[in-house]
Amino acid sequence: MAAPATADGGGSGDSAGPATGEGGTDGDTREWLRGGEARAEPCGGCGAGDPAGVSRRVKYASLGVLVLQNASLVLSIRYVRTLPGERFLPTTAVVMAEAMKGSACLLLLLIQHRGSVRQTAVTLHEAVVGQFGDTLRLAVPSLIYTLQNNLQYVAISNLPAATFQVTYQLKILTTALFSVLLLGTALSRLQWLSLALLFAGVALVQAEQARAVPSAAALGPSPGPEVPAQSYAVGLAAVAASCLSSGFAGVYFERLLKRSGGSIWVRNVQLGAVGTAVGLGAMLAAEGPAVAALGFFYGYNGAVWAVVVNQAAGGLLVAVVVRYADNILKGFATALSILASTAASAHLFGFRPRAPFLAGTAMVLAAVVLYGRPRGAGGRSQDSGKSVGP
């Protein structure tokens, strides 16, 4: 992210920061590098007063990084896709992001094995060839994540950043429904209520946006004849499809991890490799002639590379956040990223939200926070809104 929960985004600000031991212990660093567990467990060397077993500094650093990544990815994609002039081909950006994510996980796996190339190769061989059935099953989320990432480019290219950010929270609803269907997850009454509130809030936002005729200032940073044409209906269809794909892929990947286990870094190397291959196939099918005529890196500049790196990092950030954060923290991070995107859209793109948009956004924010609340004092917090992928 990614995503998603992801914040799918899903898909999606990760760095080696959490592994440096800031606010934590050497044990925290080793556990993060091992990457073998999908959920955090309290450790003896961590802050004793913290229910999650980690220091508050690390938890709130995770919050800040997640907010920054979620908000900046949407805003930066919107910026580079609405600039006049040469436009990069989005399918090439998806391929590069998948390749970067797989390479980063491969590097982490190498660090896990203390720099031993031979041991890393043995681990990968056992995971890919020794468990070939799991490798084939991983092709399903890889294909869907690639589709989701391409759909996000289409959606953000055609919707204001704030509208996309609010509407994209429907991935929480789709993830919850797929969790109930595929994992047998039991949701509390409060969570069902929050999902209804989420749907109502998004519906209110969309009803207001459908009535309003977007101004040139709301659609792009530089109005003029060179600004690409945009379609609100296309953007809405793309974000709806992206939410469906994010929910299914995240739950499918979680189910696969629970059944087969294994290091999350190994799984992400497999996802990255398959995702890169699938992305290349999608690129050739959708924009093959354009890539052949213009070149793979046509339209790339510093801003485009920042988007690619940010998108790749979003896929890795989920694993870090799962290690250090809980659902309440992730809910607040999502809420803050929506607020940040709305405020930044007003400043950068001239987006002017009306009262119905603000009311619908408030309903979505409340739903996100309520959904992540634990069931009770002794109950276990549900994590059905989690997405392990980008």
Side-chain angles (χ1 to χ4, degrees):
M1 213 248 139
T6 118
D8 283 56
S12 154
D14 179 43
S15 67
T20 60
E22 179 185 358
T25 65
D26 290 338
D28 290 339
T29 303
R30 287 193 297 271
E31 182 176 345
W32 185 80
L33 287 174
R34 281 199 299 269
E37 296 293 336
R39 294 183 183 273
E41 297 292 341
C43 58
C46 303
D50 195 314
V54 294
S55 71
R56 290 192 176 186
R57 280 193 298 169
V58 174
K59 288 182 68 174
Y60 288 106
S62 299
L63 169 67
V65 171
L66 188 59
V67 171
L68 180 63
Q69 196 276 333
N70 282 347
S72 64
L73 180 60
V74 174
L75 292 169
S76 58
I77 291 178
R78 179 67 182 170
Y79 176 75
V80 298
R81 293 298 291 166
T82 54
L83 281 176
E86 295 181 353
R87 300 182 74 198
F88 71 100
L89 303 172
T91 54
T92 64
V94 171
V95 171
M96 289 303 303
E98 288 295 324
M100 285 184 179
K101 185 180 68 176
S103 299
C105 288
L106 186 60
L107 178 61
L108 289 169
L109 196 60
L110 186 63
I111 295 174
Q112 174 186 330
H113 291 298
R114 301 180 183 276
S116 173
V117 177
R118 181 179 180 277
Q119 187 59 42
T120 302
V122 169
T123 300
L124 287 174
H125 182 270
E126 291 176 353
V128 176
V129 180
Q131 303 176 30
F132 191 67
D134 287 342
T135 302
L136 291 179
R137 281 187 284 270
L138 277 171
V140 175
S142 294
L143 176 62
I144 298 174
Y145 282 138
T146 302
L147 172 65
Q148 175 194 340
N149 289 334
N150 281 287
L151 286 171
Q152 283 183 354
Y153 276 101
V154 175
I156 299 174
S157 298
N158 289 278
L159 294 176
T163 303
F164 170 83
Q165 190 78 306
V166 173
T167 309
Y168 192 53
Q169 300 316 308
L170 281 178
K171 66 183 179 181
I172 299 175
L173 174 62
T174 60
T175 303
L177 294 178
F178 282 120
S179 293
V180 171
L181 295 174
L182 299 181
L183 300 179
T185 303
L187 302 181
S188 67
R189 282 190 295 247
L190 180 61
Q191 287 177 313
W192 283 114
L193 177 63
S194 68
L195 292 175
L197 184 64
L198 172 71
F199 184 81
V202 171
L204 182 59
V205 167
Q206 290 303 323
E208 191 275 335
Q209 291 289 290
R211 285 195 302 267
V213 178
S215 64
L219 286 176
S222 180
E226 294 185 350
V227 173
Q230 299 172 48
S231 168
Y232 191 86
V234 170
L236 185 58
V239 74
S242 184
C243 288
L244 282 172
S245 61
S246 173
F248 178 77
V251 172
Y252 184 94
F253 189 39
E254 180 181 354
R255 183 183 182 185
L256 190 60
L257 283 176
K258 287 180 177 179
R259 289 187 172 185
S260 60
S263 167
I264 200 170
W265 304 126
V266 172
R267 295 306 183 200
N268 273 290
V269 169
Q270 292 173 288
L271 278 176
V274 178
T276 301
V278 172
L280 283 171
M283 179 195 73
L284 293 175
E287 297 176 324
V291 172
L294 301 174
F296 188 92
F297 296 108
Y298 174 79
Y300 274 60
N301 53 34
V304 175
W305 279 112
V307 168
V308 172
V309 173
N310 198 352
Q311 190 172 36
L316 300 175
L317 178 61
V318 175
V320 180
V321 171
V322 167
R323 167 62 184 90
Y324 285 103
D326 53 26
N327 262 348
I328 299 176
L329 192 64
K330 287 187 284 184
F332 276 111
T334 301
L336 289 174
S337 67
I338 293 174
L339 293 176
S341 296
T342 303
S345 293
H347 177 70
L348 296 174
F349 307 124
F351 180 73
R352 295 293 179 264
R354 301 181 182 182
F357 180 93
L358 296 176
T361 300
M363 293 167 67
V364 171
L365 295 179
V368 168
V369 174
L370 287 175
Y371 185 80
R373 292 186 62 182
R375 289 177 177 238
R380 189 176 174 183
S381 175
Q382 290 294 317
D383 199 24
S384 56
K386 173 177 70 65
S387 173
V388 189

